[in-house]
Each structure stands twice: as structure tokens, then as C-alpha cells.
Amino acid sequence: MADQAPSFPAMSIAQANALLSAPDAPFEMEEIEIRGVKFRSYKHAPPTLRDVLALSAAHGDKDMIVYEGERVTFTAHLRAVAHFAEILRDQFGVEKGDRVAVIMRNYPQWPVAFFAALSIGAIATPMNSWWTGDELEYGLKDSGAKVAIADSERVERLRGHLENLPDLEHVIIARCAEEQADPRMSSMEALIGDANSWAQLDAKPLPDTPLAADDDATIMYTSGTTGRPKGALASHRAIMANVFNAMACQARSFLRRGEQPPMPSPDDPQRVVLLSVPFFHATGAFAILAPSVLAGGRILTTYKWDATAALKLIEDEKVNVIGGVPAIAWQIIEHPERDKYDLSSIEVVSYGGAPSAPELVSTIKRRFKDAAPGNGWGMTETCASATLNFGDDYILRPESAGASGPAMDLKTVDADGNTLPRGEIGEIWAKGTNVVTGYWRNPEATAATFEDGWVKTGDLGRLDEEGFLFILDRAKDMLIRGGENVYCSEVENALYEHPAIMDAAVVGIPHKVLGEEVGAVVQVKPGESVEEDALKAFASQKLAAFKVPVQIQFQSDPLPRNANGKILKSELRERFSPTG
């Protein structure tokens, strides 16, 4: 990334959005009505994910997915999807609207299963590959999945639960060539071959099941850090709106610099992304997989995340984009062997899904001079990123999660749902065609969370005059100490600023008089150390006395997170005993 333009910003967010969405522009808008609510929608977005898949034929023999020794081109992927979609429809009776669960690691079979289900109008239902057998049973029962496509490890977790799943007619096992004694089970390899053989499959057209933009496409289960996960039902339009919002935000960053956004060309070098989050997460499926298929990018996947192995992959595959959640970015940046590898290909270090320290921006610029830092905010209910903060804007506002895409609206509201003036702290509500339809078969939760096209996010924050979002906390995670509000992210940011701290999480410690006191768990960078009193003293220089943690626990291992990258604060709270 070049040095910041001297006149930055060359135009406001509103001016850039207007240029991008003007008539005949790439992100031209049209007004549409969905379920009685009017929205702005991208006129030139592909209507469905099957259309995106069809467009991917233009990328031909470029690698689409690389997993260890397996390299799958766009042609091979498209052929595998077409064959597998036909098998799902003709052999297993999957019809439009049926749920098809996808439960596996980030193998090349994951996108084949996902797009095959979508291509015949089924509702692709990714499930958390970290779930236990009981949790998988819940997800399959809640969704009413007709077919599940799972790897061997997930199938073993499910075996004892199949008798409780009468709606589940068949399980297709990925990466397993063995014959199955159970008549409800088949091998995916027996049906379409292994990943390296897909290029030899006959070319055949995609299914012609009638599909429309507002048809149901996916059920993504919320992370469920508290209570049972809910299935967020998204349409094809919602997913494509997320893709186009992100593309528009990236184009906007050029206009803000006074430059014209580059026009894509078939001769452009292929963008290579190192995937460090699961495909079953909205970020993996909607913010990485879908746009990569559309634009012809290469995705590198691994059996599991390993920072040392990632460094070698970056060098060998000339990776352009890394990130995921902030903790993963830190692991690359602070890795003791980082300087042994050629990381010069990195152009973007982008992350979201968890609060990030403002210091991370300056560290990225120091470590990777030509790389653009980026972060964002969103949730399953917004089909991944609702805001993006990129490049120069992020450098100027390192504490912000960015501004929303042109087709999205944000506001903050008080406890009664009244819209607050810019700058005031309240619950963040988001509206746009990228917001999901609601929660699958859960009208009560849908009514409580969605209102007139708005999703009530449960996050607390503020919007500045230009529309940049500043996240302060989850409403349910905000601490109240003796009547004073303590925003966890504010305390975490203060701890992040200490040079020895890589990651931090703030939780409430029960106190019989004050209600709660502030506790913290921190991960220390390799080779660094700091005493508890010294870290408290450091924090006290940046925070009011009532916000300074009364107890700090230290560890060298990463903080516990769920598969979506969210810190498991409920687990951390259990480490502290009540005080007072």
C-alpha cells in the first residue's frame, strides 16, 4: 500500500457512495420491496449463488481450492458440483426447500456440497464441525435436514444419534472410500471421486431448478455462546448483498484517496487468500468463499490453523490476503520465526469477528509496509461484514469498525428503541438486503430481534458524524460496577496497548456490594513478561480507577474461543471467585 494521499480524504463517505451507486455505475442501486419493507438493492448483482457458480466457469484452469496435496481448479469444482447436485436430486430425492447439512472441516468437498445443494434450490445448512454429537443432533433436528454431508470424524460423533433423527434420510461421508454397512450412509468419493479426479468428470450443465433472488439459500447457526444456537435463514439476495457491500467498500477506499477503483481484468494476477476461519462461519462462506468464486480467487485451506505452517504457505503460495480474527493476525505478526520466511506477497491483513486492539493497525504498517490493514464488524444475522474499515480510513480511525456499505443503514437506539443522535452510545441496529429473513422455525426470537427490516444486534456503540461505527461492547457483556457502566472493549484496548500483551478479555467478577468488579485474562506475547501490579498501573494511566481490573490472570496460550473466533467469556468468568 502506498503512503497516504496528502489530501486524504478526497471525498466524504456519502459522496463516494453516491458515485459508486449512481445510474450505470457498477454498484447501481434500485429500490425494491421485500415482505412489505423497502430496501436499496444492487441492480447488477448476480441474483443467486448458482449464477455466481455459473460465472466461475470463466476462471477455467485457475486453482480455486488448495488443500495440502489437492489442487482443485474452477473447472474441476464446477464439474464436481454439477454431478453431485444431480445425484442429490435424482438419487437422494432432494427437492427445492429441503435442508442439506454440510458438516466437515475446510476440505475441498465442503464448497462442492454447499454449491450443489444451492444449485437445486435446497437450503444449504452448514453446521459447526466443533459440535459434539448432542449438538449435531440438535442442529439436524432443528433444521429438519433431509441429507447430511459430513466427514468421517463428524459421522462417528453422529452414529449414536441417528435413531433420534427420523427426518435425516441419508448421510454422505466425505473423504471415505469404504463401503458402508448402514443403508442410510454412502461415500462421496464413490459418487463423484476424490478431489484430484474431479477435472476428469464429464462437463454437464448445472440443474435448471427455478431459483429467484429472494428464495431461501442457507441456514447458518449462531455461535450459541449462551443458550441454544438459532438458525439464521438467509436468501440468495442477502448473501450477494454482503458480497457487493464488501466490494463497494473496497472501491470506496480508492475514491477516498482520490483514485479511480481498478477495473477487474482477466489478466489480473490471481488473488490468493489463506483461509483461517471455518467455511461454516458466515465469514468463511459469505465473505471469503462466495466472492472468491465470483472473482476467481484461490483459497488455501488447512487441516487446522497452525501459525508456523501458515508462514510456509504464505511463502510457497505467494499469499496476498491473511487474517480472520485479530488473534490470528497477531500470531503471524509476532511469530518468533516470521523473519525466516518471505512474506512480501502480503497485500491485505484483514480481520473481524472479535474486538481488535488499535495498536494492531500500527503494528501491521510497521511489519508489512506495503500491506493494507482492514477490519470489520458484522454478525451471522447480517451475512458477515456489515461495516469495513480499510487502508487509510483504518489508519485514521484505528478504534473504528468502519462505515457500512452503500446498501446498508445503521443507527443507534436507546432502551425504548428511539433513534439517538450521532455520537451517542446505544444499541446498534442494522438494515439492508443483507440482513437475514429471520430465525428458522423460531417466530418468537424472530419477532424479538427483527423489526421493519432492522436487526437489533445487541451490540453497544456509537456512530460518528460521517457514519463510522465504534463498537463498545455486547449489551449483555457490559459491566455495571456500583452503578457505573464499564465497556469491556475500552478496558481491553487499554491492556492491548502494553507491549507485552497479545490478547485480552475482560469479564465481570461478582461483588456483593458493587454488583460486579472488573477482571481480565490476558495472553502474553512470546518472549515477553509483565507483572500483574505493573499491568494494573499501566492500565490506570489510561482508565478511570473504577475501570482498572482488580484481578488479572496471565497465560501464554491463546484465549479460549469458539469456532467463530468469539472469546468464550462464560468460561473465563468461571476462573474468578466472587469478591467483597
Side-chain angles (χ1 to χ4, degrees):
M1 179 179 170
D3 293 336
Q4 189 181 90
S7 59
F8 186 86
M11 64 181 71
S12 69
I13 292 289
Q15 289 170 325
N17 284 346
L19 282 175
L20 291 168
S21 58
D24 299 322
F27 302 99
E28 180 181 356
M29 297 287 178
E30 59 182 349
E31 187 175 80
I32 63 169
E33 187 172 303
I34 305 173
R35 297 179 297 280
V37 178
K38 292 182 178 180
F39 295 91
R40 300 188 304 281
S41 183
Y42 292 106
K43 188 173 182 179
H44 304 301
T48 73
L49 286 160
R50 187 174 67 191
D51 294 303
V52 170
L53 184 65
L55 290 169
S56 76
H59 308 309
D61 292 332
K62 292 180 181 177
D63 286 335
M64 176 186 147
I65 296 284
V66 177
Y67 171 77
E68 296 184 351
E70 300 170 20
R71 307 185 82 90
V72 178
T73 66
F74 282 89
T75 295
H77 176 261
L78 186 59
R79 291 181 179 183
V81 171
H83 278 259
F84 196 52
E86 185 178 88
I87 290 167
L88 288 176
R89 182 191 63 198
D90 297 346
Q91 187 169 330
F92 298 111
V94 176
E95 300 177 348
K96 186 173 182 178
D98 286 340
R99 275 74 64 208
V100 174
V102 184
I103 322 169
M104 67 180 88
R105 292 180 184 269
N106 286 356
Y107 293 130
Q109 286 79 6
W110 199 103
V112 169
F114 180 72
F115 278 104
L118 293 168
S119 294
I120 53 177
I123 302 175
T125 307
M127 290 186 186
N128 191 323
S129 63
W130 292 17
W131 277 357
T132 64
D134 287 339
E135 290 169 319
L136 290 172
E137 179 185 320
Y138 163 78
L140 290 165
K141 188 175 292 184
D142 182 74
S143 64
K146 187 173 188 175
V147 173
I149 305 153
D151 60 28
S152 299
E153 188 177 349
R154 259 43 62 178
V155 171
E156 289 309 309
R157 292 181 200 170
L158 271 174
R159 283 191 189 274
H161 299 266
L162 292 177
E163 61 184 16
N164 301 325
L165 297 166
D167 293 336
L168 183 64
E169 297 180 5
H170 213 84
V171 177
I172 301 172
I173 310 175
R175 306 183 74 81
C176 175
E178 300 172 5
E179 290 291 331
Q180 299 297 312
D182 189 329
R184 292 172 69 180
M185 294 188 179
S186 301
S187 160
M188 190 171 180
E189 276 65 27
L191 297 170
I192 61 169
D194 61 30
N196 283 332
S197 71
W198 293 341
Q200 279 69 58
L201 291 169
D202 294 336
K204 63 172 53 188
L206 291 169
D208 58 0
T209 306
L211 280 183
D214 293 311
D215 284 347
D216 297 330
T218 63
I219 297 172
M220 283 275 186
Y221 278 88
T222 59
S223 54
T225 53
T226 59
R228 284 290 200 181
K230 298 184 289 291
L233 178 65
S235 67
H236 289 268
R237 188 193 302 275
I239 297 164
M240 291 315 304
N242 168 266
V243 172
F244 268 56
N245 270 335
M247 291 165 58
C249 286
Q250 292 169 19
R252 187 172 66 197
S253 69
F254 285 91
L255 293 178
R256 296 268 285 170
R257 289 177 59 86
E259 302 170 1
Q260 282 299 310
M263 294 300 293
S265 165
D267 298 325
D268 290 341
Q270 188 180 29
R271 177 63 65 93
V272 183
V273 178
L274 176 57
L275 183 66
S276 59
V277 296
F279 277 135
F280 64 72
H281 182 227
T283 299
F286 303 157
I288 297 176
L289 178 60
S292 292
V293 172
L294 180 64
R298 185 194 319 162
I299 299 174
L300 309 179
T301 69
T302 57
Y303 182 76
K304 64 178 181 179
W305 173 254
D306 179 87
T308 303
L311 290 170
K312 187 174 189 310
L313 266 177
I314 293 168
E315 179 178 77
D316 292 347
E317 296 283 344
K318 306 301 180 193
V319 170
N320 307 122
V321 182
I322 63 169
V325 295
I328 285 174
W330 277 118
Q331 286 175 30
I332 293 292
I333 290 169
E334 298 293 341
H335 197 286
E337 298 181 11
R338 180 181 57 83
D339 292 335
K340 295 180 181 179
Y341 296 89
D342 179 4
L343 309 182
S344 60
S345 61
I346 294 174
E347 298 173 0
V348 175
V349 183
S350 184
Y351 39 85
S356 57
E359 182 203 352
L360 184 51
V361 183
S362 58
T363 305
I364 289 168
K365 291 303 295 176
R366 189 167 64 252
R367 294 277 198 259
F368 305 107
K369 185 176 185 299
D370 294 325
N375 82 341
W377 164 86
M379 54 199 306
T380 307
E381 289 84 348
T382 60
C383 291
S385 303
T387 66
L388 285 175
N389 203 8
F390 189 76
D392 296 314
D393 274 317
Y394 193 13
I395 293 167
L396 284 181
R397 294 176 173 88
E399 296 179 348
S400 173
S404 64
M408 255 211 110
D409 295 310
L410 298 176
K411 66 179 179 180
T412 55
V413 303
D414 63 18
D416 297 319
N418 300 309
T419 302
L420 295 170
R422 290 287 174 94
E424 292 197 18
I425 296 170
E427 183 185 4
I428 302 156
W429 287 20
K431 178 183 178 183
T433 49
N434 59 307
V435 173
V436 301
T437 306
Y439 295 123
W440 176 255
R441 292 179 175 172
N442 196 335
E444 295 82 7
T446 297
T449 307
F450 302 91
E451 182 177 310
D452 296 329
W454 295 90
V455 56
K456 307 171 187 179
T457 72
D459 282 341
L460 295 175
R462 63 179 176 85
L463 293 161
D464 71 11
E465 288 303 316
E466 202 166 1
F468 281 83
L469 176 64
F470 294 78
I471 300 289
L472 295 170
D473 217 339
R474 288 291 297 170
K476 62 178 179 289
D477 286 342
M478 184 184 71
L479 309 184
I480 302 177
R481 181 193 181 279
E484 295 287 347
N485 293 346
V486 178
Y487 298 109
C488 293
S489 62
E490 181 185 10
V491 182
E492 289 160 357
N493 284 340
L495 297 172
Y496 283 138
E497 290 188 39
H498 192 283
I501 302 305
M502 178 180 287
D503 205 0
V506 168
V507 297
I509 305 173
H511 189 282
K512 66 181 181 183
V513 176
L514 298 171
E516 291 178 297
E517 287 194 300
V518 182
V521 182
V522 298
Q523 179 189 2
V524 180
K525 294 177 182 177
E528 300 284 351
S529 64
V530 60
E531 296 296 326
E532 183 177 12
D533 287 345
L535 187 54
K536 288 180 182 178
F538 178 85
S540 69
Q541 299 172 24
K542 304 173 182 301
L543 300 167
F546 71 88
K547 300 178 183 178
V548 175
V550 298
Q551 293 182 40
I552 304 177
Q553 297 183 7
F554 296 82
Q555 62 184 63
S556 56
D557 294 331
L559 300 182
R561 296 176 183 270
N562 66 16
N564 297 342
K566 294 181 180 178
I567 292 175
L568 298 174
K569 290 198 173 184
S570 58
E571 181 178 318
L572 298 182
R573 290 188 191 98
E574 295 175 358
R575 300 185 186 181
F576 294 91
S577 300
T579 60

